Amino acid sequence: MSITGLEVEVERDDGFETEEMTLNMGPQHPSTHGVLRFVIKADGEVMRKATPDVGYLHRSIEKIAEKVGYASFMPYTDRVDYVAAMPCNQGWAMVTERLAGIEVPRRGEFCRVIATELNRIASHLLAVGSMAMDIGAYTPFTHALRERELINELLQELCGSRLTFNYMRIGGCAWDLPPRFGEKAIEYLDHLEPIIDEYNALISFNKIYVERLASVAVISREEAIDYNLVGPNLRGSGVKYDVRRDEPYSVYPEIDFDIPVGTGEAGIVGDSYDRYMVRIREMKECCKIIRQCLSKMEPGPVIAKVPRNLKPKPGEAYVRVESARGDMGWYCVSDGSTAPYRLKIRTGSFAAMSAIEHVSRGLMIADLVALIASLDIVAPEVDR
Amino acid sequence: MTLFNSMPEMALTTTVDSMINWTRKSSIWYMVFGLACCAIEMMHTGGPRADIDRFGTIPRATPRTSDLIMVSGTLTLKMALRTKLLYDQMPDPKYVISMGSCANCGGLFQLAYSVCDGVDKVIPVDVYVPGCPPRPEALTEGILKLQQKIAEERWLVRRAPGEAHV
Amino acid sequence: MNSAEIVDRLRARFGDKIGDFDDKAGDPFVYVQPDAIDEVCGHLKNDEALAFDALSNLSGVDHPKTSTIQVVYHLYSYRHRHMIVLKVSANREDPVIRTVAGVWRAANWHEREVFDLLGVRFEGHPDLRRLLMPEDWVGHPLRKDFVEPEEYHGIKTSRESPIHGIKTSHESPTK
């Protein structure tokens, strides 16, 4: 048996005949990434091909947009990516504001950024926790859930809900920050930053964990761009690109933060370990952003005056926001009525899912689980 | 003569029934069937803060070794056929908790063309937990209600005329 | 480079395959003929000065009033940080467009989704079949004239109101 990079060639000289097995993985499976199904053609433990089968969570959100109208659509955007719902709210609000020519007040922009970055931390916590659980370590998952519970408390105080927030409105945010929210947020960030180091000591630099992920499922820079991978998946392959810094929107131009990039520290650039470490380091950058926002905010209104029956002029707009899973494209066509004519949401997990068939050749079945977890795929983003 | 559902209500037989029900309700193993947003809240409910492991409910990966299926999330038509298959694979006696608005009645996705409006169209449901998504405390309440339901089952004692089968 | 300059370069090379350029309604876009879209995209990706190495979005829009289905391509270049929007119009009765899955591998699934939900056939696509809907689904849901089926495999697609089972006191018992 010889191993050459990604491909595993199996030659047998002992006279045994082998056959390819066809296995079915999903749509119900103990991984936490949602209802995804793979049809795996395997030669023993090594996969020849893993074909994804999606659509088990297709809730026709894009068609519903054409029925309910601009303002009423906000709760549906939470369900597009329920793990990181605030950036989805922001994407929808931004595309409608671009079509209708509405400007968001400055304090409203700061509230949006604080909510988005808190949600990004929560999403990355779930991503790294469930990645550890898929590899087989159950304890880091409970640690991550504990920290997520504290963020849920903060966001619950902000907007009333733990998971599907519906906090932003077209023109700004629904409410201002509650009293003493800034102090509680800073208290939480002071608590979180040492916990990230503790988490690293527990799992990130653990020898077994590193060997499971290093040099597994390498995605090169050219492949990542060709498949339109975005966000931490793209940055893990060495491309230093972040929509918040390179095509900035909202108040991100005034905030100073770094973009962590995969460097192949444990193996090859673009392997699963790089994508994992990019998420860990991004959590620390989010803490920096929130602190700067809280210190730069000034009193003022949080929402602009928007007409009750919003009817943007006919036209179209394409807006990209940096969600936890990468840049999300919102393409909206308006025909002058109260509901959009067509809405298309292009998500990062859709592209990542389409890349799996190619990247998984030659991997073992257990590595497929690590690959899905390292690409941070959630089913609602794929199916919408 | 079989012992099952054949004895009159006496101190001995009702005590035996209570003992059996107490052991069964304190060890309900649920299948991890998280479909959508409610799955995240189900994970939190099994997490460190609102821990349902203290009631004996632990997650199982396969339907063959689980008593309870918690349908958490939107059921699409494509998934509904597989849900029926998974329910049939569970051994008797089995229970179903429908968690969240989407599993109860379709929720806010009733306008959709590809969503099955409620899981009770495919499998029979024991407890409905409302919410979008239900808080961990609400799901815990749902499990406690299921425990109450299990506590009223009869094993030795004969059933009253007209009483439903489990 | 802004969109007008890119369109000029494309017109210089492809002539009448490039249609009208509209820069008034939001993001500027340019129309391309459906049988030339793969050559145009190949040139946009491989040319050094243009270098559109990423397909940011591919979506279909149904226009029953003009009896067309438009497919909109948003292309982005990581090297030069510019974006262009292309549109292809196809006849609504039998929409056929050349595929760009050979240019960007990201287009593979996007085109499958447009085929599934709108019914556009992409010529040359390696694996054109339904993506999000079940394999035996009939119809293309995102079309404006799509009618929801009454049931699917025995499951009714609407929830019956309980009003049909209610007996009120003024109804006669023999009814």
Side-chain angles (χ1 to χ4, degrees):
Chain A
M1 200 164 100
S2 66
I3 299 181
T4 55
L6 289 177
E7 304 237 283
V8 180
E9 292 145 350
V10 181
E11 292 124 19
R12 297 194 72 109
D13 50 4
D14 46 8
F16 276 121
E17 274 193 25
T18 61
E19 259 182 29
E20 227 176 47
M21 280 195 296
T22 304
L23 297 171
N24 176 52
M25 178 171 144
Q28 183 266 335
H29 53 90
S31 163
T32 49
H33 303 288
V35 277
L36 305 166
R37 176 174 174 238
F38 291 91
V39 178
I40 301 174
K41 289 200 181 339
D43 178 9
E45 190 71 24
V46 172
M47 296 190 296
R48 301 265 184 220
K49 197 158 118 157
T51 314
D53 178 19
V54 296
Y56 291 92
L57 199 56
H58 178 60
R59 300 183 276 195
S60 40
I61 292 182
E62 295 174 356
K63 182 99 182 181
I64 291 179
E66 299 169 19
K67 294 183 185 172
V68 295
Y70 290 97
S72 322
F73 188 65
M74 196 56 90
Y76 290 91
T77 60
D78 287 317
R79 278 91 181 155
V80 169
D81 176 8
Y82 44 75
V83 190
M86 292 288 194
C88 305
N89 280 357
Q90 185 163 17
W92 172 241
M94 277 172 64
V95 77
T96 312
E97 285 151 14
R98 169 96 65 92
L99 281 173
I102 299 171
E103 202 181 305
V104 179
R106 200 169 145 74
R107 191 175 166 90
E109 294 280 20
F110 275 114
C111 288
R112 282 185 176 181
V113 170
I114 292 173
T116 304
E117 296 302 321
L118 275 174
N119 205 201
R120 195 188 308 272
I121 300 177
S123 170
H124 284 323
L125 277 169
L126 191 69
V128 300
S130 63
M131 187 163 177
M133 191 163 94
D134 287 343
I135 304 284
Y138 290 92
T139 311
F141 187 58
T142 47
H143 282 241
L145 281 185
R146 182 189 70 189
E147 303 309 316
R148 241 186 93 94
E149 285 280 348
L150 299 171
I151 295 190
N152 282 350
E153 278 292 304
L154 272 178
L155 288 170
Q156 186 184 265
E157 219 180 286
L158 180 66
C159 58
S161 168
R162 287 161 51 104
L163 192 74
T164 46
F165 307 112
N166 194 17
Y167 173 56
M168 303 189 192
R169 301 281 183 267
I170 297 173
C173 297
W175 308 279
D176 202 345
L177 302 181
R180 295 193 52 233
F181 184 82
E183 298 165 26
K184 293 185 193 172
I186 302 265
E187 192 184 336
Y188 173 72
L189 296 176
D190 291 335
H191 159 85
L192 179 73
E193 280 168 356
I195 296 272
I196 296 180
D197 296 323
E198 189 184 299
Y199 198 84
N200 278 342
L202 175 69
I203 189 84
S204 309
F205 303 130
N206 184 314
K207 185 170 190 299
I208 302 176
Y209 198 70
V210 172
E211 285 194 13
R212 269 303 289 272
L213 296 178
S215 303
V216 167
V218 176
I219 302 181
S220 70
R221 202 194 147 98
E222 288 73 31
E223 274 181 348
I225 296 179
D226 204 27
Y227 275 106
N228 196 26
L229 293 182
V230 288
N233 300 334
L234 186 66
R235 294 195 272 282
S237 293
V239 180
K240 192 160 179 150
Y241 183 84
D242 189 324
V243 182
R244 294 173 289 173
R245 197 199 58 177
D246 296 300
E247 314 265 329
Y249 54 94
S250 186
V251 291
Y252 284 110
E254 302 173 31
I255 301 176
D256 176 40
F257 61 101
D258 197 18
I259 317 283
V261 174
T263 53
E265 56 196 289
I268 311 175
V269 176
D271 60 10
S272 306
Y273 191 71
D274 272 343
R275 295 190 280 272
Y276 167 81
M277 281 314 280
V278 162
R279 293 193 175 96
I280 297 273
R281 294 190 176 118
E282 268 188 20
M283 282 200 270
K284 289 211 164 163
E285 301 301 321
C286 293
C287 299
K288 262 199 240 169
I289 298 176
I290 299 175
R291 281 183 210 273
Q292 289 176 47
C293 280
L294 286 169
S295 62
K296 288 187 181 185
M297 279 175 87
E298 280 149 18
V302 290
I303 188 166
K305 286 240 177 302
V306 175
R308 192 162 269 270
N309 269 335
L310 182 62
K311 286 192 196 178
K313 287 197 293 292
E316 56 185 55
Y318 182 62
V319 158
R320 298 190 295 155
V321 287
E322 181 79 15
S323 152
R325 271 154 203 84
D327 92 57
M328 249 187 162
W330 292 75
Y331 172 61
C332 184
V333 179
S334 150
D335 61 348
S337 66
T338 52
Y341 188 75
R342 167 82 166 111
L343 171 67
K344 160 90 192 221
I345 310 166
R346 195 271 307 148
T347 51
S349 302
F350 189 76
M353 197 68 180
S354 67
I356 283 191
E357 188 168 351
H358 170 80
V359 177
S360 65
R361 281 170 215 270
L363 287 185
M364 296 206 233
I365 297 181
D367 292 333
L368 174 67
V369 183
L371 168 63
I372 303 169
S374 76
L375 288 172
D376 200 5
I377 292 176
V378 284
E381 273 207 340
V382 179
D383 298 336
R384 276 156 283 126
Chain B
M1 174 181 109
T2 65
L3 286 175
F4 190 57
N5 285 136
S6 58
M7 308 285 226
E9 266 186 39
M10 299 186 303
L12 176 68
T13 50
T14 50
T15 309
V16 170
D17 272 358
S18 311
M19 279 284 299
I20 295 175
N21 287 337
W22 174 67
T23 56
R24 291 186 65 242
K25 80 180 187 192
S26 311
S27 155
I28 308 173
W29 290 2
Y30 65 93
M31 178 171 75
V32 173
F33 194 57
L35 296 170
C37 341
C38 289
I40 307 286
E41 287 294 39
M42 189 167 75
M43 284 196 283
H44 274 288
T45 314
R49 192 175 176 194
D51 180 17
I52 47 174
D53 197 2
R54 56 196 159 128
F55 302 114
T57 50
I58 57 172
R60 303 295 295 166
T62 153
R64 304 281 187 192
T65 63
S66 47
D67 309 297
L68 168 67
I69 174 172
M70 284 207 270
V71 183
S72 49
T74 320
L75 196 69
T76 52
L77 292 169
K78 197 168 177 179
M79 193 67 198
L81 307 170
R82 278 87 175 168
T83 308
K84 181 85 176 77
L85 183 66
L86 285 166
Y87 178 74
D88 289 336
Q89 285 179 340
M90 285 168 69
D92 270 331
K94 52 196 173 191
Y95 307 98
V96 178
I97 289 186
S98 159
M99 176 185 176
S101 301
C102 293
N104 290 346
C105 64
L108 76 170
F109 291 106
Q110 289 184 4
L111 294 169
Y113 50 78
S114 60
V115 167
C116 177
D117 295 331
V119 75
D120 51 7
K121 288 191 172 183
V122 250
I123 54 182
V125 174
D126 289 298
V127 176
Y128 294 85
V129 178
C132 190
R135 287 187 59 100
E137 288 85 351
L139 183 60
T140 315
E141 166 87 26
I143 292 180
L144 293 176
K145 270 245 177 320
L146 184 66
Q147 286 189 342
Q148 275 175 9
K149 202 170 169 183
I150 293 177
E152 291 163 7
E153 289 174 9
R154 295 176 177 223
W155 297 100
L156 283 185
V157 179
R158 73 172 74 97
R159 286 199 191 89
E163 189 179 330
H165 184 64
V166 119
Chain C
M1 228 185 281
N2 66 14
S3 302
E5 293 169 17
I6 300 172
V7 173
D8 288 337
R9 282 180 179 237
L10 286 177
R11 252 190 247 280
R13 187 180 161 100
F14 289 100
D16 61 345
K17 300 278 188 198
I18 310 290
D20 298 328
F21 174 57
D22 182 337
D23 58 355
K24 284 183 217 37
D27 300 324
F29 60 86
V30 64
Y31 281 97
V32 179
Q33 294 290 323
D35 54 353
I37 184 69
D38 50 348
E39 287 169 24
V40 172
C41 287
H43 175 70
L44 283 168
K45 179 177 178 186
N46 297 323
D47 185 71
E48 284 299 310
L50 299 171
F52 283 102
D53 41 13
L55 173 71
S56 187
N57 188 22
L58 198 167
S59 47
V61 188
D62 185 24
H63 290 281
K65 291 207 182 113
T66 53
S67 195
T68 54
I69 294 186
Q70 281 179 358
V71 176
V72 185
Y73 301 75
H74 287 83
L75 310 178
Y76 185 71
S77 167
Y78 281 102
R79 229 195 296 169
H80 303 301
R81 306 282 161 96
H82 54 207
M83 181 175 260
I84 181 90
V85 183
L86 305 176
K87 281 201 190 187
V88 176
S89 245
N91 184 356
R92 200 167 182 267
E93 301 307 314
D94 181 29
V96 178
I97 300 178
R98 293 283 313 158
T99 182
V100 295
V103 182
W104 300 283
R105 286 181 278 187
N108 193 321
W109 271 33
H110 281 283
E111 289 181 347
R112 271 179 72 182
E113 186 190 335
V114 174
F115 167 69
D116 186 6
L117 299 176
L118 282 164
V120 178
R121 269 190 308 116
F122 288 91
E123 243 180 344
H125 194 277
D127 182 24
L128 196 65
R129 55 192 163 95
R130 286 196 183 264
L131 184 72
L132 299 173
M133 303 305 295
E135 277 143 14
D136 54 357
W137 189 264
V138 171
H140 298 286
L142 272 181
R143 291 214 175 181
K144 298 288 179 189
D145 54 357
F146 175 71
V147 173
E148 266 186 57
E150 288 284 318
E151 63 164 25
Y152 173 72
H153 279 254
I155 306 170
K156 288 207 185 342
T157 53
S158 60
R159 225 175 147 79
E160 200 185 69
S161 169
I163 201 168
H164 302 295
I166 297 178
K167 282 187 167 48
T168 52
S169 60
H170 60 262
E171 280 180 354
S172 75
T174 54
K175 235 190 190 173

